Amino acid sequence: MHKKQKTALALTATVIMLLAGVVAAMRVAMANPGAEPPPASSQLSSQSQPPTPEPVTLRMVAVGDNLIHDSIYNQAARRAGGQGYNFDFAYQHIAPLLKGADVAFINQETLLATAVAPPASYPRFNSPTQVGDKLAELGFNVVNHANNHMFDLGEKGYAATIGYWQTQPGVLLTGAYRDNQDLHSPKVLRAGDVSIAFIGMTERTNGLSLPADTDMRYISTDETQLIEELVAMAKRSADVVVVSAHWGNEGTHNISDYQREKAQMLADLGVDIILGHHSHTIQPIEYLERPDGGRTLVAYSLGNFISAQSSPWNMPAGMLDITLTKDYKTGKTGVSSVFFVPTVTHYGSGMSDITIYPLSDYTPQMADTHGVRSKYPIFNYKYVIDTVRS
């Protein structure tokens, strides 16, 4: 028999069997008019109800103030040998702690506006844009600019800083907004199946402000109605809401009443994490209870990521290492673990060789050579340990 004839016969037999099945089914239905039709197959039934996915996690790290004094950018210029700025030395010891993070947050305390003005230090800062390049290289993908130095160069410096970060497509900018539309567009970072919205706000701007006719915006911590609106929008847009809050008083480990009041307000709104900065010191970390039954993680201040400040209390700082877990069974995403990783800004005499160390790599011998001891001999390894533990 030819191959075509065999195929035709096989197809005919298949059709006859299918028809026989249909007729049999029709006879059953006619004999039992009230009966439910049988399921197509147990395999199809199980496919229509896929199993609930297992929880997923991501790692988020957060640090405090990247405060770039002239001692730091002049050091970077010398290390570049006249070819711009090389900030590698400042961050080389801390870089390993950032590896593998899905989300990395930092408060960039100083403007990055050298496109419109030369570098400048205290009291009105302007840092080389190579600082931003280095942060992006280190893995920081969320940068806050809502702080008391955001208007140090007026509207032009603010606009230039926003413009710089637009050249870094892998970095989400929060706290500095081009216009009202930008302000009301939730800033959401997606890492795998988890989405995180960021809002940046500041208590003060050193008495400086934008021109009355500008389109650019920022968020004051006193703008309660605006904050309520933005948090509600963020909660609709993301699994987790993080607020960056520049607040409190400089040079103290104590939390102000204002910080406590605003932190509880944000918790009541359902914010998941509050990352505080401005004091340039370590301040307490705690959980606040929320009306929805959840908890808000608050780090009132993480201290200086790096600086050339000259007081011992400005040297110890830290990084939060947070695990976020999305549970598909409950439909909730939140903090499942958090660790505080202490760090130390170190420099030699005359503020030479400014760099950051994880406390785990810092030694009593290194502390004894710290340049801050020329004015504050109380600084030593024990001082660092006591500050971190308090």
Side-chain angles (χ1 to χ4, degrees), residues 250-383:
E250 291 191 27
T252 178
H253 299 293
N254 299 321
I255 306 167
S256 69
D257 291 340
Y258 184 88
Q259 286 172 280
R260 291 194 181 278
E261 174 192 340
K262 293 302 177 181
Q264 190 60 61
M265 178 200 76
L266 292 169
D268 291 345
L269 293 175
V271 169
D272 298 286
I273 300 171
I274 302 171
L275 301 174
H277 28 86
H278 175 63
S279 69
H280 307 299
T281 60
I282 300 172
Q283 292 185 340
I285 301 168
E286 65 180 1
Y287 280 99
L288 297 179
E289 300 299 322
R290 302 200 314 238
D292 63 4
R295 297 192 305 171
T296 299
L297 174 65
V298 187
Y300 288 96
S301 177
L302 292 170
N304 289 327
F305 187 51
I306 196 170
S307 80
Q309 289 190 304
S310 56
S311 300
W313 46 86
N314 301 134
M315 302 302 116
M319 181 180 82
L320 284 187
D321 200 323
I322 302 169
T323 300
L324 292 169
T325 299
K326 183 170 187 174
D327 190 328
Y328 292 93
K329 291 182 180 179
T330 63
K332 295 181 179 180
T333 307
V335 175
S336 51
S337 72
V338 58
F339 296 93
F340 180 76
V341 183
T343 62
V344 183
T345 295
H346 181 84
Y347 52 76
S349 61
M351 293 191 175
S352 59
D353 298 330
I354 304 169
T355 188
I356 320 163
Y357 284 96
L359 181 56
S360 58
D361 293 343
Y362 205 60
T363 66
Q365 293 75 23
M366 294 167 70
D368 288 344
T369 67
H370 200 301
V372 76
R373 286 175 53 81
S374 63
K375 292 183 180 179
Y376 295 93
I378 63 168
F379 183 91
N380 55 29
Y381 189 75
K382 183 178 183 300
Y383 176 92

Side-chain angles (χ1 to χ4, degrees), residues 18-188:
L18 288 172
L19 287 173
V22 171
V23 171
M26 289 175 65
R27 285 175 179 167
V28 172
M30 290 172 67
N32 302 281
E36 291 292 328
S41 72
S42 59
Q43 182 179 2
L44 179 60
S45 177
S46 65
Q47 288 177 348
S48 65
Q49 298 178 356
T52 303
E54 292 296 316
V56 296
T57 63
L58 65 79
R59 178 176 172 235
M60 173 179 169
V61 299
V63 299
D65 302 321
N66 203 48
L67 179 54
I68 308 301
H69 291 90
D70 52 4
S71 298
I72 299 175
Y73 65 70
N74 287 337
Q75 167 185 288
R78 289 192 297 271
R79 290 181 178 277
Q83 302 295 318
Y85 299 87
N86 184 343
F87 289 93
D88 290 353
F89 180 81
Y91 303 103
Q92 65 178 348
H93 305 292
I94 206 75
L97 294 184
L98 301 168
K99 290 188 180 300
D102 300 289
V103 181
F105 167 93
I106 191 169
N107 171 56
Q108 177 52 43
E109 184 83 5
T110 56
L111 294 171
L112 303 180
T114 45
V116 297
S121 192
Y122 182 83
R124 295 198 179 184
F125 291 90
N126 186 27
S127 303
T129 55
Q130 286 86 348
V131 172
D133 296 344
K134 184 61 187 178
L135 295 182
E137 179 188 321
L138 287 167
F140 287 103
N141 52 6
V142 183
V143 175
N144 171 73
H145 265 285
N147 57 58
N148 58 305
H149 289 290
M150 64 195 307
F151 301 143
D152 278 3
L153 294 180
E155 184 179 26
K156 68 174 184 178
Y158 191 55
T161 299
I162 294 173
Y164 164 74
W165 286 115
Q166 290 175 329
T167 70
Q168 296 286 347
V171 177
L172 184 150
L173 173 64
T174 188
Y177 306 97
R178 295 187 306 275
D179 51 33
N180 199 53
Q181 181 179 352
D182 188 26
L183 175 68
H184 285 85
S185 300
K187 303 298 177 282
V188 178

Side-chain angles (χ1 to χ4, degrees), residues 203-248:
E203 180 181 351
R204 56 178 65 88
T205 58
N206 291 351
L208 303 173
S209 60
L210 292 168
D213 60 350
T214 188
D215 289 331
M216 290 184 288
R217 296 290 304 275
Y218 82 104
I219 306 168
S220 166
T221 50
D222 289 330
E223 295 181 278
T224 303
Q225 183 176 346
L226 174 61
I227 292 168
E228 291 176 355
E229 294 173 2
L230 296 177
V231 170
M233 291 173 60
K235 286 176 68 65
R236 292 193 296 269
S237 304
D239 299 313
V240 175
V241 178
V242 178
V243 167
S244 168
H246 206 75
W247 57 8

